[in-house]
Amino acid sequence: MKSMIIIGNAGNRRTTGLQTARTRLGLPPAFVLNYRDLLQGRVSLSSCVQSLAHSFDEPPLLRIDAPGEHFEVERELIALGAPDADNMDMDERWLLHNKNVVHPISVRMAKRLQEMKGTLYHPSQWFRGYCKLLSRLDMEAAQLWSSPRWMNAPEDIAAMFDKRHTYQILSSAGLPVPRRLAAPVDIPDYDTLQEVMVKERTYRLFIKLATGSGACGVIAYQLNPATGSESAVTTIGVENFLRRPPMFYNVKKLKSYKERPIIRQIINWLLGHGAHVEQWIPKASYEDRTFDIRQLVVAGQACHSIVRASRTPITNLHLDSDRMSLQDIGMPDPLQAAIRQCAEQTLSVFPRSTVAGIDILLSSGSNRPYVLDVNPFGDLLYHSHYEGHEPYEWEMKWASSCTTI
Amino acid sequence: MSECKLSVDYDQYESGVKIVDLIEQLANNDERLQLESLIIGDWGGAYEHDSSEIVAALVRLKDRFPKLRSLFIGDMSYEECEVSWINQSNIGPILAAYPELTSLTIKGSTGLSLDPAQHDKLEELTIICGGLGKDVITSINEGSFNNLKKLELYLGVEEYGFDATLEDVLQLIEPGKFPQLTYLGLKDSEIQDEIAIAVANAPIVDQLHTLDLSMGTLTDEGAEALLNSEKIRKLKHLNLSYHYMSDEMMNRWKQSGLNVDISDQQDSDEDEDYRYPSLTE
């Protein structure tokens, strides 16, 4: 139970962190299958396994890690999601909400994208490409092994990565989630959003890019029913040009928009690429900041947790928020237990997954836990220990002793 | 001190709980007899429902809270409601109904009035908001608070309702208006420099132990006037936290030997147009 393949970006913080953890535990290094090589056709899961066959005396542990923070990989995924890309067999269920990509770009255009830090290139086409890749990995693994040992099954990753899909799974399992304003199909644009808000008498919302991670593509949006004024707090910036389409990008410092034209433009862009729109539940506060909790769950058991406290509505932004522990903020034991239980129940509805970072808020006043997000790659947590182990060590320790996956 | 906070949280609001019912419940509970401090938090949809029902309920139930001395109406975070979107109402009837009250705090200035602005025992009056209207400033100014020891007003910005002039604000500190006043807070203002310059040598400073000009757009200009004032030197405490002063000016304060809070320096290189008070969202 010791060999392992990581599908990731070699040399980044995640891959390096995991390898270091393996070394510390006396485990052999994992073989890293690079997203870039995979996407550029240099290798495949099958070719990798064939070349390594002699070193596997049993099916290896398979871990798909985050593809992010690598421009070439991002560009390749957008190309893979292009309408004119090779259309391999894939299970359309994986693209439940992503059948139609808004303003798709061709493979050629995608491959010509230039890196500009912070740019949000094409989230919906990117996600389509990523799902195609996940589907391909899933099929290859199924051909290689009778029961592949995925830490997180590709299908689950696709579901967790799409907030619309996650919402459906969690809400039908009866887990506490913020109320959805309406089905995504019923909120195609800003004007409809306004109508639905008035009809539902719901004026404070989070609009989240369905396939964004972290603070990326999140708007804390409010409409004042009395005065009609609006407020949108977000990391999304936009630049408009005379002769080419506007460019949307991520900023590190939160922006607070009050002007309708720009709010409308950003919301339309977000809804176009696919968004999940949910009620803004006031979060519990610690001193003068409000907070939520990233609770890691490994193999059914809640372990590491981090409290993210912020003076802004978007707590997962690094710049404006503090990382604390549940002990730091004096969280009573019953509440800690409620958070752990909520996180464990959340992961349990993804039976083919063993690791996820669950974002949970406690509602202001009643302190009831609500699940905000399920992050399949939510285990990159610094300075966090559980029973003396940092997250990667904890996962590897568990995986090397486990015979069930 | 016996304190109670009532608020309607997300789950309660969804299930139709009303703040007035919570106040009624409290008024029928034995706890009421010992209650000294009452905090009214989010009353549910404060961006569309004003506080008038709360005021009416508290006035109606005034005899149920014999020991109530401190009242806060609108204690909610930005997560619950943006401060400029909190709909207040006329809080004046509270003053009349609770003659033993010593402390009143109000958060939110939209729809706020104080009529009649009169109370013989009130020691502390605090209004937290993104922009205080001239009408409220005038009410306080023309009202009567003989025993007021602490006056803390967030003045805010025009965009959120501050429509007074410097002269309107300065009427508040005319000699003899608040004979017991020892804490004066004229803060969170977009004209913090003008206020600092005007207050620096005002007679009222002689009676204060604390001057609070924090959270506004104070720059070296206003700070210079304060630093040069003999009156300011006699204060026990000067609060200038959240400011746009330069490093040089901060050093001068450090060397002044005064008990001054100069924490939370903002980026003073930014253009004047980009300087905002702290509580403006």
Side-chain angles (χ1 to χ4, degrees):
Chain A
M1 294 295 138
K2 296 204 182 332
S3 57
M4 179 175 186
I5 295 175
I6 301 174
I7 293 134
N9 293 326
N12 76 0
R13 310 175 283 172
R14 296 169 180 276
T15 313
T16 313
L18 209 95
Q19 297 286 37
T20 310
R22 287 181 69 84
T23 309
R24 274 202 296 268
L25 294 169
L27 295 166
F31 183 82
V32 180
L33 191 53
N34 259 316
Y35 272 114
R36 190 181 58 184
D37 297 337
L38 208 53
L39 286 159
Q40 293 176 346
R42 280 192 284 274
V43 289
S44 67
L45 185 58
S46 320
S47 74
C48 156
V49 169
Q50 272 157 24
S51 68
L52 294 168
H54 60 282
S55 61
F56 293 137
D57 47 9
E58 62 205 349
L61 186 65
L62 300 169
R63 172 183 169 102
I64 298 176
D65 216 325
E69 295 169 27
H70 193 300
F71 175 68
E72 264 186 276
V73 169
E74 183 160 2
R75 185 166 62 186
E76 290 293 343
L77 286 170
I78 294 170
L80 186 61
D84 58 336
D86 285 344
N87 268 323
M88 35 172 257
D89 293 334
M90 74 172 294
D91 192 331
E92 280 293 320
R93 281 181 308 149
W94 290 40
L95 296 173
L96 200 62
H97 297 283
N98 244 15
K99 289 210 168 64
N100 302 308
V101 168
V102 64
H103 302 308
I105 60 174
S106 66
V107 172
R108 202 169 130 255
M109 270 177 75
K111 296 224 177 196
R112 277 169 44 197
L113 285 172
Q114 294 294 310
E115 179 165 21
M116 276 181 291
K117 282 258 183 287
T119 303
L120 296 155
Y121 301 98
H122 203 310
S124 50
Q125 188 165 322
W126 175 91
F127 187 60
R128 190 176 170 84
Y130 192 50
C131 284
K132 282 171 86 171
L133 179 67
L134 289 172
S135 171
R136 185 193 292 170
L137 290 167
D138 189 53
M139 286 191 290
E140 279 189 71
Q143 282 162 8
L144 287 161
W145 301 285
S146 55
S147 43
R149 294 177 57 219
W150 293 113
M151 283 182 75
N152 287 349
E155 191 175 349
D156 281 357
I157 292 176
M160 292 182 200
F161 222 93
D162 185 335
K163 291 181 176 58
R164 298 163 292 192
H165 200 162
T166 311
Y167 170 85
Q168 286 183 335
I169 292 173
L170 297 187
S171 59
S172 49
L175 281 152
V177 282
R179 194 156 50 80
R180 184 172 78 172
L181 180 70
V185 62
D186 294 327
I187 321 172
D189 56 29
Y190 174 90
D191 294 337
T192 325
L193 175 75
Q194 303 286 310
E195 286 164 24
V196 179
M197 285 173 80
V198 172
K199 187 168 137 258
E200 297 290 325
R201 296 179 55 75
T202 300
Y203 304 107
R204 295 165 57 82
L205 299 166
F206 272 100
I207 306 174
K208 299 173 172 176
L209 183 63
T211 59
S213 53
C216 173
V218 175
I219 307 177
Y221 176 63
Q222 309 177 68
L223 171 66
N224 189 324
T227 62
S229 57
E230 292 167 84
S231 157
V233 176
T234 180
T235 56
I236 304 174
V238 59
E239 205 165 329
N240 285 296
F241 307 96
L242 274 179
R243 289 186 185 80
R244 54 191 171 102
M247 192 182 82
F248 294 85
Y249 56 92
N250 240 327
V251 290
K252 288 213 171 89
K253 200 169 161 47
L254 275 183
K255 285 177 172 283
S256 178
Y257 298 108
K258 308 280 179 199
E259 308 79 24
R260 174 162 292 194
I262 190 161
I263 293 177
R264 181 193 176 105
Q265 185 186 21
I266 292 174
I267 289 180
N268 274 335
W269 179 80
L270 212 57
L271 291 172
H273 277 283
H276 175 65
V277 184
E278 68 186 18
Q279 183 143 32
W280 176 347
I281 300 179
K283 293 186 274 289
S285 39
Y286 169 70
E287 294 180 343
D288 61 343
R289 285 163 291 181
T290 57
F291 67 86
D292 60 16
I293 300 116
R294 162 67 59 90
Q295 176 67 61
L296 188 63
V297 182
V298 173
Q301 190 193 344
C303 44
H304 307 69
S305 65
I306 284 181
V307 173
R308 306 178 297 191
S310 175
R311 290 187 185 86
T312 74
I314 298 176
T315 51
N316 39 358
L317 194 71
H318 279 267
L319 194 73
D320 294 318
S321 66
D322 288 326
R323 299 294 189 259
M324 292 191 279
S325 71
L326 293 169
Q327 289 74 33
D328 289 341
I329 65 165
M331 173 90 64
D333 288 340
L335 274 182
Q336 293 196 26
I339 292 163
R340 283 196 299 271
Q341 191 192 16
C342 177
E344 287 169 0
Q345 285 172 347
T346 301
L347 188 61
S348 75
V349 300
F350 299 93
R352 295 181 65 210
S353 291
T354 53
V355 179
I358 319 289
D359 293 342
I360 293 176
L361 71 74
L362 294 178
S363 60
S364 168
S366 60
N367 281 330
R368 271 181 53 177
Y370 286 89
V371 183
L372 289 176
D373 204 4
V374 183
N375 307 274
F377 313 128
D379 54 358
L380 180 68
L381 304 174
Y382 297 109
H383 315 299
S384 181
H385 290 83
Y386 182 74
E387 296 189 2
H389 296 282
E390 50 91 19
Y392 291 137
E393 246 175 47
W394 182 252
E395 287 172 41
M396 289 302 105
K397 191 168 168 292
W398 162 81
S400 65
S401 63
C402 165
T403 52
T404 52
I405 58 164
Chain B
M1 189 174 64
S2 163
E3 184 171 274
C4 175
K5 177 169 176 172
L6 298 179
S7 61
V8 175
D9 64 37
Y10 172 84
D11 304 300
Q12 292 170 316
Y13 189 57
E14 292 278 290
S15 60
V17 173
K18 299 264 187 298
I19 189 82
V20 171
D21 299 340
L22 300 182
I23 297 172
E24 296 270 2
Q25 274 171 29
L26 183 65
N28 290 313
N29 183 322
D30 283 348
E31 195 192 340
R32 71 184 173 87
L33 291 168
Q34 299 307 320
L35 189 73
E36 291 168 77
S37 170
L38 176 61
I39 300 168
I40 305 287
D42 185 5
W43 50 83
Y47 44 81
E48 55 178 339
H49 306 300
D50 70 22
S51 58
S52 56
E53 285 188 9
I54 295 162
V55 172
L58 288 173
V59 168
R60 182 159 43 85
L61 300 165
K62 61 189 165 72
D63 299 328
R64 303 294 186 90
F65 305 110
K67 290 194 175 170
L68 188 68
R69 298 293 176 269
S70 171
L71 180 64
F72 187 161
I73 299 181
D75 181 22
M76 57 190 100
S77 74
Y78 61 82
E79 279 281 318
E80 291 156 317
C81 189
E82 300 271 334
V83 63
S84 65
W85 290 15
I86 301 172
N87 287 294
Q88 285 287 0
S89 58
N90 182 16
I91 307 294
I94 296 274
L95 294 172
Y98 291 86
E100 298 298 322
L101 204 65
T102 56
S103 174
L104 176 65
T105 304
I106 299 161
K107 188 167 182 179
S109 59
T110 302
L112 176 67
S113 55
L114 268 181
D115 180 28
Q118 189 182 348
H119 201 287
D120 289 337
K121 291 191 175 168
L122 197 72
E123 295 174 14
E124 298 179 359
L125 175 63
T126 301
I127 303 178
I128 304 165
C129 63
L132 192 60
K134 181 182 168 172
D135 48 351
V136 177
I137 294 172
T138 305
S139 293
I140 297 170
N141 191 30
E142 290 172 356
S144 158
F145 297 98
N146 294 325
N147 205 30
L148 202 66
K149 294 182 169 68
K150 177 180 177 181
L151 177 65
E152 185 180 3
L153 301 177
Y154 286 59
L155 298 172
V157 296
E158 188 177 356
E159 194 184 347
Y160 294 121
F162 175 71
D163 56 358
T165 61
L166 179 64
E167 286 66 38
D168 298 325
V169 175
L170 292 181
Q171 286 186 4
L172 290 167
I173 60 165
E174 279 171 9
K177 184 143 286 170
F178 303 112
Q180 304 297 321
L181 200 72
T182 55
Y183 184 119
L184 175 66
L186 296 173
K187 60 199 285 187
D188 192 55
S189 173
E190 62 184 345
I191 56 165
Q192 202 72 60
D193 274 335
E194 285 99 313
I195 290 170
I197 292 164
V199 173
N201 290 297
I204 196 165
V205 180
D206 292 334
Q207 70 185 72
L208 302 178
H209 66 65
T210 298
L211 177 63
D212 179 358
L213 304 176
S214 65
M215 300 176 76
T217 56
L218 187 75
T219 69
D220 288 358
E221 202 186 333
E224 187 75 43
L226 294 169
L227 204 50
N228 291 335
S229 160
E230 283 304 314
K231 290 183 188 291
I232 295 294
R233 293 192 164 268
K234 291 176 191 148
L235 287 169
K236 283 203 176 67
H237 184 59
L238 176 62
N239 189 352
L240 306 179
S241 172
Y242 185 100
H243 58 83
Y244 290 84
M245 293 187 283
S246 65
D247 293 345
E248 297 78 49
M249 183 54 80
M250 288 174 70
N251 275 328
R252 288 174 64 191
W253 281 115
K254 282 172 198 156
Q255 287 156 11
S256 71
L258 283 165
N259 179 9
V260 55
D261 183 348
I262 50 169
S263 60
D264 206 4
Q265 180 190 24
Q266 305 298 303
D267 189 355
S268 54
D269 292 336
E270 281 190 32
D271 197 287
E272 197 174 336
D273 291 344
Y274 292 99
R275 288 187 199 133
Y276 295 105
S278 175
L279 189 68
T280 51
E281 291 136 23

